[in-house]
Amino acid sequence: MRRRHLRIALLALTAMAGSVLMASAPAGADPTHSTASAGSKRSHLEDREAVGLVRIQLTGADMLDKVVAAGFDLEHGVKRVPTGIEAEAVLTAEQVAELQSMGVRILGGDEGFAWNEQADGGIRTAAKQTVQPLNHEQTVRVVRADWFTTKGQGFLYVEARTTEGQQADPVVQMQLENDSGVGTSFGFARTMSRFVDSGQYMFHRNLFKLDKRPSQIRVTSSTGGVTTGKVSDWLENAPPPLTDNPGYKSNFVDGYKTPQQLYGRAEEIARQYPDIAQIIYLPNQTNGYQRKAQATIGGTGESAVVVSSAAWGHEGGNDITVEFVDRAGANLPLSVEVTGKAIRVLLAKDASGALASTAAEVAAALETRSAGLIDRAHPYRTNAGTGIVAPSAPVALTDFLDQKRAGAPAGEVPRGPATIPVLRIGKHRDGTKPGVLIQAQDHAREWVPATTSLEAAERLVHNYKTDRETKKIVEDTDVFFILSNNPDGANYSFYNFASQRKNLTNHCPDENADPGRRDSWGVDLNRNYRVASGHDGYSGGSSVCTSGTYQGPEKLSEPEAKNIIWLVEKYRNIKFMMSVHSNGGQLFWQPGAYIADGRITTPRPPLGDEAFYWQSAGRILSQVKAYRETVVTPENVGGSSDVLYSSAGNVREDLYYTYGIYAFGWEVGGSVYNPATGNWQGGSFQPPWEGDPNLVSGHSETMEYANGIMEMFRVAADWGKDKKDPKSTLVPGGGKHRGPVDVRFETNEPATIYYTTDGSRPTLKSPRYEATDFREPGQVFHVTETTTFNWFSVDAAGNIERNYDPTKKDKRNNYRTATIKIVKK
C-alpha cells in the first residue's frame, strides 16, 4: 500500500486592512563624539551625551507602541506586569525627561516587579461558590498549571481564564488556591493578576514559590465561577544533555566574537571538515561598515548647515574640509572654491558689506558647486535655513568610524560592503535531509546569540566521529548557520556604540541625517519582512527612521532580509528555523504580530502545529536547564505576540506562513534564579563573559543555550525520520447517551484534526479542530442531538492517520468515524 506522507499547506494570511501609525521624530540630545585633526576643527556636535540603561514602566501596549514609534530604544527585556509593561531603555538624561512628559514612569532600583508570594485572604467580594463541572457552561478555565524547580527552589506558575475577563467595572478578580499534594485540602489563597494587552483581556496569572509540589489548584472568580485543575511538570526530569556523554567535547568559545572572527572561523571549519561542512556565500552584500563623512557647521539654529561627502569616509570623504569665508567688500556673490579636497565657501555680501548668505543658500551651493565632493547639504534638522551663515575656520568632515571603543577587540574593521557566509554542516547536503536554519545577531548589540550558535557548530564538527548522538545529527539533518546576520551593525556595536540595534543603512531624510543622529540610523532587520508588516498596519514596526524598530522604507528593502528569503527558496529542505536573539529568556513562535485596534493577530497555527511547538520547546528548554538549572518559565513560552509583544514584519512570520517552516524565535539569557538572594536576576545584551554560575554571564548563557540548539537538531532529525501515522479518538467514543454530552478529540502525538458532522467525508477543506482559546487544549463539543463525526488526523511531519488520502475519493473511506446517539428521556 502506498504510504501517504504529506505536509499540509498553511492557509494564506487573510488580508487585513489597517493604517500605519505615524509618529513625530524622536527627541533627545545629539549622541556624538569627536577627535580633532591637525589644522582643522570638528563639528561643534562632538561629545556624545552619556547614555545609560533605565528601567521604565508603561501603562500598556498602546504606550509601548507610541514610545517605540517616537524613536526610543527599548531593550528586549520587556515584561508584562499587572499594572502595564516594564522595560529597559537606553536613554540620555534629556530623553528620560521626555518620556516622563509622555506619562512613562521611571523606576528606581527597588521598584522592580515581583509576583506576590504572600497569601492575602483571597477575593473579599466573592460570594459563596460551588464547584462547577467541566462542561460547555464553564465560566472559569485553567489554561495551565506548571510546577518546576530551579537551584533547589520550587515554583508554581498558573494561567486561568474567565469568560467575564473583559469586564472592567468592576474588574473581575480571580483567586488561586493550591493543595500540598494528593489528598490534601486547598489553601494559600492568592489574588491573581489580570493581564490585558492592547485593550483585550488575555487571562489571569501568577508565579510564586512553593516548597512542595501541589497536585491540584482551584481558581475562583469574583463573578461566581469555580474550577479545579491538575498541576503538570515543566522541564522536570529532563534527559541528560549530550555534554554528559563520555568524551564529549564542548566549551569551545572563549569570548565574544566580532563578525570577522565569526566568519573567519566558519570558513576555517569548512576547510578543516570538508566531508561534512561547506560555505555558502549569500548573494546580497550589506551596506558595509562605512559611512559618508559629515559635519554640522554653525551651531543648531537657522544658520547651521549639515554637509555630507559624496564619497565614503574611508574612500576620501574623511579628507574633505569645508570653510566658510568672510571677504572684504560689498555686493559680493556667493561662490565656492575647490582646491583638492579643500572647499572654501565665499559668503555673499550685501550693499552695506554685511554677510548675506543664508544656510539654505550655502547648502544649495555646496551641493551644486563643490566639484562633486559634496552630494548632500541642507539646513539643520527641521530648520528652514533662513539664518545668515557666519564665517568658520576649516572643518574636517569625518565618518565617525575612526574611533575604537574601549575594550573592543584589536584589529582594523574592514570597510565596504560585506558578504555574509553561511556555514552548512551535514553529511548529506543534497536536500534529502531536513534543513535547520540558525540565524543569529539580527540585532547588533546581541552578542551572546552569535557565540551560542558558534559553540553549537563547533560541537557538531568536533564530536561527529566520536559521539554517536552527534553523528546521528550530522547524518540526519542539514544545518545552516548564519553566525551574524548584521555584520555592519555588530561592528558598530563592538567599535563605536555598544547599544546599536539596527544595521548601518541610513534611510533618513534631511531632518534626521545630521551626524548627531548617527547612532539612531539603520533598519531593524526583524521588522523588514513581508508578512504582517508595519506597512500593512500591524503593530511593533515603526515608520520613523530613527526608531529602534524602524521597518525600512519598504518590505525586504535590506539585503540582509533578502538573503534569508533567497536561502529558504534555494534550499527547500529547510523545514526548521531558529532566529536567535537576547536577552529576554523567551522561546516563541506564531502569532508574532497583531493589528492593535482590536488586537487582530495573524492566524494562529493549527492546533497540531501549536502542540508540536510546545513539545519541541519542552525538549529544547529541558536541555538548557540541564546545564545549570536555568529555567525559561512557561509565561515566556508560546506565541510571541502573547508572551512578548507584537513585532510586525518579523522573519518567523514570513517563513512559517509563506513556506511552512517551523520558525522559532529565541531570546536567550533573561532572568536567572539566584538562591543566595532568593530573587530572579535579569540579564543584559553583553553580560560579563565569566562570572558566578548562579548569576548572569556570557559564558554560561553560551553553553546552556548551545545545549538547546543541539536539541533542536534532534527535534528536526526525529521529524525527518517520522513515518508513523498519528492516532486520534473521540472522547467519549460513539454510543448511546441519555441526554446531551460533551465530547472532544484526543491524539497520541501533536496532530491536526479535520472533521465533519454532516455525514460527508472529511477533506483538507473541512473544519479544523481548534483550541478552546489560545494557549488552551482542544475545544469541547456540546452534543444535544444524534451526531456522526467523521475525521482524520495529520501529524507535524505530514503523516496521515490510517494512510487516508483526503485529496480524492476511494472505496475504502478509511477515515475515522463515530456516532454519538442521544437517547431522549
Side-chain angles (χ1 to χ4, degrees):
M1 181 183 296
R2 183 173 64 88
R3 176 170 187 77
R4 295 293 304 165
H5 190 80
L6 178 67
R7 177 73 173 107
I8 302 300
L10 293 165
L11 295 178
L13 272 175
T14 303
M16 298 178 181
S19 58
V20 178
L21 175 66
M22 302 298 292
S24 59
D30 304 319
T32 58
H33 66 278
S34 70
T35 293
S37 61
S40 65
K41 67 178 183 178
R42 296 292 188 193
S43 160
H44 76 287
L45 297 174
E46 292 181 332
D47 295 322
R48 190 188 264 117
E49 185 175 340
V51 295
L53 208 55
V54 180
R55 292 176 55 250
I56 63 175
Q57 186 176 84
L58 308 104
T59 56
D62 290 345
M63 181 179 283
L64 174 67
D65 287 345
K66 291 176 183 178
V67 168
V68 171
F72 290 96
D73 186 10
L74 296 188
E75 297 269 317
H76 270 233
V78 175
K79 185 168 187 175
R80 300 186 185 278
V81 298
T83 52
I85 296 174
E86 286 187 6
E88 291 180 328
V90 179
L91 302 172
T92 65
E94 185 175 344
Q95 288 174 320
V96 168
E98 173 130 358
L99 282 178
Q100 288 176 314
S101 70
M102 296 172 65
V104 175
R105 182 183 176 195
I106 308 301
L107 299 178
D110 59 350
E111 293 186 75
F113 171 73
W115 293 105
N116 180 19
E117 298 172 5
Q118 303 299 319
D120 61 6
I123 302 171
R124 291 167 175 77
T125 60
K128 184 177 181 181
Q129 311 292 344
T130 57
V131 177
Q132 297 177 334
L134 178 61
N135 61 28
H136 67 289
E137 296 176 343
Q138 188 177 23
T139 60
V140 176
R141 300 189 302 274
V142 173
V143 178
R144 62 185 310 117
D146 292 301
W147 165 262
F148 66 87
T149 59
T150 177
K151 310 291 180 65
Q153 177 61 58
F155 287 87
L156 176 65
Y157 175 71
V158 177
E159 291 174 2
R161 183 175 280 122
T162 170
T163 55
E164 309 291 333
Q166 192 67 26
Q167 176 181 313
D169 187 20
V171 171
V172 176
Q173 293 183 303
M174 300 266 272
Q175 176 179 285
L176 170 68
E177 299 171 278
N178 62 269
D179 64 17
S180 298
V182 177
T184 61
S185 59
F186 290 111
F188 315 104
R190 291 167 168 82
T191 299
M192 299 182 70
S193 299
R194 181 171 176 261
F195 173 22
V196 175
D197 181 43
S198 197
Q200 300 298 310
Y201 170 72
M202 305 287 281
F203 40 75
H204 285 70
R205 63 182 181 179
N206 261 76
L207 171 70
F208 54 91
K209 295 179 184 177
L210 284 178
D211 292 329
K212 187 174 181 180
R213 186 193 188 283
S215 174
Q216 291 192 90
I217 62 167
R218 181 167 65 191
V219 179
T220 306
S221 168
S222 60
T223 59
V226 178
T227 192
T228 60
K230 292 183 179 180
V231 175
S232 302
D233 287 328
W234 176 248
L235 310 184
E236 295 294 289
N237 305 314
L242 295 178
T243 50
D244 285 359
N245 292 353
Y248 189 89
K249 304 178 186 69
S250 63
N251 203 19
F252 294 99
V253 181
D254 58 2
Y256 293 122
K257 305 296 180 185
T258 66
Q260 294 74 247
Q261 294 170 321
L262 294 167
Y263 295 168
R265 180 55 189 152
E267 291 165 339
E268 186 178 11
I269 286 174
R271 289 192 296 270
Q272 288 178 315
Y273 303 92
D275 56 329
I276 60 171
Q278 70 181 100
I279 292 292
I280 300 167
Y281 291 102
L282 295 175
N284 300 291
Q285 287 191 313
T286 70
N287 173 83
Y289 179 75
Q290 57 184 7
R291 281 190 169 159
K292 300 299 181 71
Q294 292 185 299
T296 300
I297 307 172
T300 60
E302 291 291 343
S303 301
V305 179
V306 178
V307 184
S308 300
S309 65
W312 297 106
H314 67 286
E315 294 179 343
N318 289 337
D319 300 326
I320 297 172
T321 60
V322 176
E323 179 183 4
F324 295 164
V325 180
D326 182 8
R327 299 165 291 164
N331 291 319
L332 299 177
L334 174 66
S335 62
V336 179
E337 295 179 348
V338 179
T339 305
K341 296 293 182 67
I343 302 172
R344 301 179 77 238
V345 178
L346 308 180
L347 301 174
K349 292 288 193 73
D350 63 15
S352 66
L355 291 170
S357 296
T358 66
E361 293 168 339
V362 170
L366 282 168
E367 282 192 347
T368 58
R369 301 186 229 171
S370 62
L373 294 178
I374 302 300
D375 72 347
R376 191 173 185 179
H378 51 86
Y380 181 77
R381 298 194 181 175
T382 58
N383 293 347
T386 56
I388 301 301
V389 172
S392 169
V395 174
L397 274 59
T398 175
D399 60 10
F400 293 94
L401 298 178
D402 54 353
Q403 296 300 293
K404 300 296 184 288
R405 195 172 58 81
E412 187 66 25
V413 183
R415 303 295 178 93
T419 298
I420 299 176
V422 180
L423 174 60
R424 186 181 188 184
I425 298 176
K427 183 63 177 177
H428 307 288
R429 302 184 302 280
D430 55 5
T432 60
K433 301 297 181 181
V436 184
L437 171 58
I438 304 297
Q439 176 211 48
Q441 207 170 39
D442 252 359
H443 295 149
R445 62 196 178 195
E446 298 168 10
W447 295 357
V448 176
T451 56
T452 297
S453 302
L454 178 60
E455 173 69 20
E458 297 280 11
R459 292 183 187 183
L460 286 179
V461 297
H462 283 281
N463 293 293
Y464 170 62
K465 292 185 177 180
T466 58
D467 180 72
R468 184 175 63 180
E469 292 299 316
T470 304
K471 186 177 182 67
K472 289 181 180 178
I473 291 172
V474 175
E475 295 190 346
D476 292 338
T477 63
D478 189 2
V479 182
F480 300 78
F481 286 98
I482 300 178
L483 298 176
S484 175
N485 197 45
N486 184 1
D488 306 339
N491 277 318
Y492 198 72
S493 176
F494 271 105
Y495 293 98
N496 300 95
F497 180 58
S499 294
Q500 177 72 13
R501 172 184 169 95
K502 302 179 287 183
N503 70 4
L504 288 196
T505 307
N506 179 15
H507 292 290
C508 282
D510 290 351
E511 66 186 56
N512 279 311
D514 62 89
R517 294 288 202 213
R518 69 187 182 281
D519 289 341
S520 298
W521 295 335
V523 173
D524 183 342
L525 298 177
N526 204 34
R527 301 295 186 273
N528 193 232
Y529 290 86
R530 301 166 296 181
V531 174
S533 167
H535 295 284
D536 300 321
Y538 283 81
S539 179
S542 176
S543 60
V544 178
C545 70
T546 51
S547 168
T549 56
Y550 176 51
Q551 61 203 7
E554 61 186 17
K555 301 173 187 179
L556 291 186
S557 63
E558 304 310 293
E560 299 91 338
K562 291 176 182 174
N563 280 334
I564 300 301
I565 301 304
W566 176 88
L567 190 68
V568 299
E569 289 190 344
K570 182 175 179 62
Y571 300 97
R572 292 298 183 122
N573 64 315
I574 294 177
K575 301 299 181 184
F576 292 84
M577 185 265 190
M578 179 77 82
S579 180
V580 191
H581 293 260
S582 67
N583 63 315
Q586 288 125 352
L587 182 59
F588 42 73
W589 46 85
Q590 303 74 42
Y594 56 72
I595 295 173
D597 186 8
R599 201 179 185 277
I600 305 170
T601 70
T602 52
R604 293 188 178 274
L607 188 57
D609 278 5
E610 179 82 5
F612 181 70
Y613 271 126
W614 275 104
Q615 181 187 77
S616 301
R619 291 180 57 174
I620 292 167
L621 297 176
S622 291
Q623 296 305 302
V624 173
K625 182 183 178 183
Y627 181 76
R628 57 164 185 164
E629 293 197 73
T630 294
V631 173
V632 175
T633 60
E635 66 181 302
N636 288 316
V637 180
S640 64
S641 64
D642 301 333
V643 303
L644 189 57
Y645 45 63
S646 177
S647 52
N650 69 75
V651 65
R652 305 180 309 279
E653 229 77 338
D654 205 328
L655 268 55
Y656 179 76
Y657 292 113
T658 307
Y659 304 102
I661 295 171
Y662 287 111
F664 293 81
W666 206 356
E667 291 274 345
V668 306
S671 297
V672 177
Y673 181 71
N674 185 352
T677 62
N679 296 318
W680 293 80
Q681 181 199 9
S684 66
F685 293 127
Q686 300 144 20
W689 180 252
E690 299 289 354
D692 186 327
N694 286 326
L695 303 178
V696 172
S697 73
H699 175 263
S700 292
E701 290 180 2
T702 294
M703 298 306 148
E704 64 194 356
Y705 284 96
N707 280 4
I709 289 178
M710 296 299 292
E711 187 62 24
M712 184 175 179
F713 299 151
R714 294 207 283 189
V715 168
D718 291 344
W719 180 91
K721 292 183 291 184
D722 182 5
K723 301 296 186 289
K724 291 184 178 180
D725 292 352
K727 291 180 174 56
S728 60
T729 55
L730 190 68
V731 180
K736 295 181 179 180
H737 298 270
R738 294 188 178 277
V741 63
D742 290 342
V743 301
R744 67 185 186 278
F745 287 112
E746 291 184 355
T747 59
N748 68 330
E749 63 172 303
T752 297
I753 293 174
Y754 296 82
Y755 71 94
T756 64
T757 57
D758 61 0
S760 62
R761 65 187 299 273
T763 70
L764 296 176
K765 295 182 180 179
S766 298
R768 197 167 56 196
Y769 186 54
E770 298 180 347
T772 304
D773 207 332
F774 69 94
R775 297 173 71 84
E776 291 193 35
Q779 64 199 105
V780 175
F781 301 101
H782 187 61
V783 181
T784 60
E785 297 181 354
T786 297
T787 303
T788 296
F789 287 83
N790 295 329
W791 77 92
F792 66 94
S793 62
V794 185
D795 68 15
N799 299 304
I800 301 180
E801 188 172 10
R802 289 185 171 182
N803 202 29
Y804 173 61
D805 188 345
T807 65
K808 63 183 181 181
K809 293 182 179 181
D810 59 32
K811 294 181 180 180
R812 293 175 302 162
N813 278 337
N814 55 334
Y815 48 78
R816 301 296 308 278
T817 185
T819 298
I820 305 294
K821 187 173 183 179
I822 305 300
V823 179
K824 303 295 184 179
K825 294 181 180 180

